[in-house]
Amino acid sequence: MEPQTPTSRRVLVAKPRGYCAGVDRAVVAVEKALEQYGAPVYVRKQIVHNTHVVKTLEARGAVFVDETEEVPEGEIVVFSAHGVSPAVHEEARQRGLRTIDATCPLVTKVHNEAKRFAAQDYDILLIGHEGHEEVEGTSGEAPEHIQLVDGLDAVGKVEVKDPSKLVWLSQTTLSVDETTETVARLKERFPTLIDPPSDDICYATQNRQVAVKEIAAESELVIVVGSDNSSNSKRLVEVAKDYGAQASYLVDNADFIRDEWLDGVTTVGVTSGASVPEELVAEVLARLARHGFGDVTEVEPVEERMRFALPHELRKDLRAS
């Protein structure tokens, strides 16, 4: 029997939420590859950081591997949206693999910036999280020029050759506010630190953070749908707490919601990370509706229209077929 709940309970749903253009492109790339070439299609790392998406693609014939060396010679391998280093591309070439590069174009932009500044002999401070696939891929473009700055505590440990030739870049999925604070701290140490030519934090990460700030201000609880290894999803939890929510939790799906979170709550905010399919949000809303949260309002402070073309390797083969 469902608990008795007041009728004034409501849900504020952030928009934009869920799939960004880069994630949609990567997921569709694997789906199209399976249709075009048949199973198995190998994927290096998780194509995007979402458990549900990975399991769904596995059921269709995608095989996820940690390293390129696990892919049988001559087979097809898809590189994930997070990007890979030149060394990974070279290994795939040596093994005779047919590659489909699903790296998000906004990550590719950061790679290109890293190569350009390294060619000019700049020290590059890469703001990001140690061990994240995107950071590993970007660092691999110019390892002798790039040093990672993982949070404010790392600022004091930075050492550079020439402060007059110093630039910062960032992982695309960071907290906008935290990155701004880290850059400000770096500039206190290195006043001549150069900004990247355009903002590295991707439009989708920024837009989702803007939307969650708006709903957090009116919500006692914010539920973020996303997997634990999703950097941008975890940042949404942090932003929600910073901007007014008394509590915020990351859930893979509706089954992770605990009834006690809803005790005494009248307004719940809901959003999802950039690699989360909308069906998972719908299941969360259905779960909340069973607890009396039937009044649902979508809050859209930013309109999002970005789309990316499929990887060129797929476009070429699809045209030829």
Side-chain angles (χ1 to χ4, degrees), residues 61-234:
V63 178
F64 291 87
V65 298
D66 283 329
E67 298 300 339
T68 313
E69 64 186 22
E70 299 172 54
V71 182
E73 292 191 11
E75 293 287 348
I76 293 170
V77 63
V78 182
F79 294 141
S80 80
H82 310 104
V84 299
S85 69
V88 174
H89 282 285
E90 177 58 22
E91 183 181 4
R93 189 190 66 77
Q94 290 181 359
R95 292 180 57 79
L97 303 180
R98 298 168 60 193
T99 60
I100 297 172
D101 190 355
T103 302
C104 174
L106 300 179
V107 174
T108 299
K109 177 181 75 72
V110 180
H111 281 222
N112 290 337
E113 289 170 349
K115 288 186 285 189
R116 182 160 61 83
F117 283 110
Q120 298 171 32
D121 202 29
Y122 274 77
D123 274 337
I124 300 166
L125 305 182
L126 178 60
I127 301 172
H129 297 303
E130 187 171 4
H132 192 279
E133 289 155 43
E134 183 186 328
V135 164
E136 292 177 351
T138 302
S139 297
E141 293 288 359
E144 69 283 2
H145 288 271
I146 293 175
Q147 58 183 301
L148 181 64
V149 182
D150 189 350
L152 290 172
D153 292 342
V155 171
K157 303 171 187 174
V158 172
E159 296 181 6
V160 301
K161 297 191 302 287
D162 181 357
S164 68
K165 297 197 75 172
L166 187 63
V167 64
W168 69 270
L169 303 176
S170 82
Q171 182 181 328
T172 62
T173 53
L174 299 180
S175 159
V176 176
D177 294 340
E178 184 181 351
T179 303
T180 300
E181 191 176 355
T182 301
V183 171
R185 190 78 62 85
L186 284 168
K187 286 186 174 180
E188 289 174 6
R189 285 200 61 199
F190 306 105
T192 56
L193 177 67
I194 296 173
D195 296 328
S198 61
D199 197 343
D200 284 346
I201 296 178
C202 88
Y203 77 94
T205 297
Q206 295 187 55
N207 289 350
R208 279 148 190 72
Q209 289 177 20
V210 168
V212 85
K213 287 175 184 179
E214 190 150 326
I215 65 170
E218 297 186 50
S219 305
E220 297 106 305
L221 166 69
V222 172
I223 294 172
V224 179
V225 187
S227 293
D228 190 58
N229 63 340
S230 167
S231 178
N232 77 87
S233 298
K234 291 168 79 171

